[in-house]
Amino acid sequence: MQSAVTIFKCVNWRTVLIWSTCLLVVHFLLSFDINTQPKEDGNFPGVHTTPTTGGPVPESPKLFDPQNDIIAADAYVEPSPVLGDQYDSPLDAIPNRKKPPSVYPTTSVIDDAANANEWPEDEIPDTNDPADDEEYVAICLAAKDQSHDLPEWLTHHYHHIGIRRFYIMDDGSNPALSSFEYGIPKSALTFHYQDPATRTAWQQLAFYSECNSWYGSNHTWIAYIDTDEFLEITAPNETLVSILKGFDPDKTVGALGVNWKTHTSAGILTRPESARKSFTTCMSDPVGEVHGDNTHIKSIVRTSSFAASYNPHKFTLIEGTMTVGEHGDVINTDAFRNPITRDRIALHHYVVKSKEEYEEKMHRGNAMSQPKSKEFWDHVENDEPLEECTEMARFSP
């Protein structure tokens, strides 16, 4: 007993305490992954970069003219997801986002290899079956309180362009856009309503990412255009499907950029029965390499190449793919294609319409939180040379 007490008194307890503390610290550090390199999913170990219950939306990268949705010509930067590193995609900026159930069976003409952008060697998916054409290309549209605009827009693209699938992303309309009749089969329409209380300031980009995430596997291509934009196939012996199928064998083509043709009000004060038959004055194309309204593009994106929504005009694509014009020319800028050609396909942009409709547009705002202004009206009406453009008036209905 005396020997044990002697040993106890001889122990240097201060040294024991120091060593015990050191061992505890080492154990604590080793129990966590302190690697600062991101994991395969893009996040850092132990860190969640995707908000699940809301949170602030990152500041805009200032790509847009604050008076309208046109990108300034001197605002070019290398394409990257517009919401930056805080979010994996614009979808993650939407509080409590839920994926809706599938609304119809998958009828995609692309297989798993195509979704991975890796075609089997010497094999391209068979897209010659006419039945495939119904789901081959779709349109995704962001809209708010535009039930008056949709009937002509939908009938044109259904009957004259051959689109059989429309995704109407409703940005909080009152009443909801799904409550109206539009003159085409209801089976062609899929509506998604966004509660205004949970929208993001960059809702249009979130809608576009949702379209590809939810529905991209059903289609080879999705076009991202607005209710004031009407596609026209200008080549006499081509269709939208035939143009896009011409790009299918080239795996590096991830999107087709289509040039605007911007229409003015033509001096019309109130809403006409038909935009195509009434607004027949356009802004002339700029001469030379000068940027102008008509140098802007909108994109039809190969769904397997979609990486992120960059801006309403251009998309971030997966590595190894690019956006091209109608002749296969590479588009390296954020939103512009110059020189302009519309030999095969054009996009008519009825950006102001009548004075009455433009005032409604200013009041309504847009899905990029950048409402139009009187200054933009003056720009379209007065700043550029004008020319007659009656080619869309031939369509009926």
Side-chain angles (χ1 to χ4, degrees):
M1 185 69 171
Q2 184 176 3
S3 175
V5 171
T6 302
I7 293 173
F8 181 83
K9 289 181 177 180
C10 292
V11 173
N12 188 335
W13 292 107
R14 182 176 180 182
T15 301
V16 171
L17 179 61
I18 292 173
W19 277 104
S20 299
T21 302
C22 291
L23 290 172
L24 283 172
V25 169
V26 170
H27 174 75
F28 178 83
L29 292 175
L30 291 176
S31 67
F32 289 87
D33 183 358
I34 59 173
N35 183 11
T36 58
Q37 297 300 314
K39 299 185 295 183
E40 290 183 0
D41 62 5
N43 292 332
F44 287 84
V47 178
H48 285 290
T49 59
T50 301
T52 57
T53 57
V57 176
E59 185 180 358
S60 154
K62 309 300 183 186
L63 287 178
F64 300 92
D65 182 332
Q67 302 301 332
N68 55 81
D69 66 355
I70 293 179
I71 298 179
D74 59 355
Y76 174 72
V77 295
E78 287 297 323
S80 60
V82 72
L83 291 181
D85 294 336
Q86 181 178 355
Y87 299 95
D88 292 334
S89 81
L91 299 183
D92 300 324
I94 303 176
N96 303 315
R97 180 178 64 88
K98 295 181 180 179
K99 181 176 179 178
S102 176
V103 293
Y104 58 94
T106 297
T107 56
S108 175
V109 301
I110 54 176
D111 54 16
D112 292 338
N115 282 325
N117 198 46
E118 295 179 359
W119 307 104
E121 186 175 358
D122 299 325
E123 181 181 346
I124 301 297
D126 180 9
T127 57
N128 294 319
D129 182 353
D132 290 339
D133 292 352
E134 298 240 332
E135 302 294 346
Y136 177 74
V137 57
I139 293 181
C140 181
L141 168 78
K144 178 181 179 180
D145 295 327
Q146 291 171 278
S147 58
H148 293 298
D149 299 321
L150 280 171
E152 182 178 16
W153 185 90
L154 285 167
T155 56
H156 172 79
H157 289 96
Y158 185 89
H159 290 294
H160 301 300
I161 305 300
I163 302 295
R164 292 295 182 266
R165 181 69 59 194
F166 301 89
Y167 299 107
I168 311 296
M169 312 299 278
D170 187 345
D171 192 10
S173 297
N174 185 19
L177 295 175
S178 59
S179 60
F180 296 89
E181 297 288 336
Y182 294 112
I184 67 170
K186 289 184 177 180
S187 59
L189 300 171
T190 299
F191 291 90
H192 169 73
Y193 185 84
Q194 175 63 47
D195 187 337
T198 57
R199 76 184 301 279
T200 173
W202 298 85
Q203 189 61 49
Q204 187 171 5
L205 301 186
F207 280 152
Y208 288 172
S209 290
E210 285 178 326
C211 272
N212 196 77
S213 175
W214 296 346
Y215 310 116
S217 62
N218 295 315
H219 312 284
T220 306
W221 301 83
I222 294 180
Y224 297 91
I225 60 176
D226 298 329
T227 53
D228 60 3
E229 296 170 333
F230 287 67
L231 286 165
E232 179 197 12
I233 305 304
T234 58
N237 299 316
E238 293 196 273
T239 66
L240 178 59
V241 169
S242 71
I243 290 172
L244 295 174
K245 283 188 175 181
F247 290 110
D248 277 350
D250 187 347
K251 295 177 292 184
T252 67
V253 175
L256 172 64
V258 184
N259 275 111
W260 270 349
K261 192 171 186 66
T262 306
H263 292 244
T264 73
S265 72
I268 298 173
L269 299 180
T270 58
R271 180 190 299 274
E273 183 176 347
S274 168
R276 293 168 300 165
K277 296 183 181 300
S278 302
F279 304 116
T280 56
T281 303
C282 291
M283 302 176 76
S284 299
D285 291 341
V287 177
E289 297 299 317
V290 176
H291 285 294
D293 296 64
N294 289 342
T295 63
H296 286 77
I297 62 162
K298 282 297 185 73
S299 297
I300 306 173
V301 183
R302 194 198 297 261
T303 57
S304 60
S305 296
F306 188 108
S309 302
Y310 179 52
N311 64 47
H313 302 262
K314 187 89 176 287
F315 290 75
T316 302
L317 305 175
I318 65 172
E319 185 176 358
T321 62
M322 57 193 173
T323 300
V324 302
E326 61 180 4
H327 297 302
D329 47 293
V330 179
I331 301 175
N332 289 318
T333 64
D334 277 5
F336 312 107
R337 179 174 179 264
N338 198 359
I340 298 166
T341 66
R342 304 184 191 90
D343 302 321
R344 308 176 71 192
I345 186 170
L347 187 63
H348 291 263
H349 190 201
Y350 298 90
V351 65
V352 293
K353 296 187 176 180
S354 67
K355 186 175 182 181
E356 175 189 21
E357 292 166 284
Y358 189 75
E359 289 174 349
E360 291 177 0
K361 178 181 282 192
M362 287 194 295
H363 178 73
R364 183 173 64 241
N366 64 22
M368 294 297 289
S369 301
Q370 294 168 326
K372 293 290 189 291
S373 68
K374 184 181 182 301
E375 289 73 19
F376 182 65
W377 167 278
D378 292 337
H379 162 69
V380 173
E381 297 292 293
N382 304 312
D383 285 355
E384 302 293 339
L386 304 180
E387 62 185 27
E388 288 299 305
C389 50
T390 60
E391 52 267 38
M392 293 297 283
R394 73 184 189 274
F395 290 107
S396 180

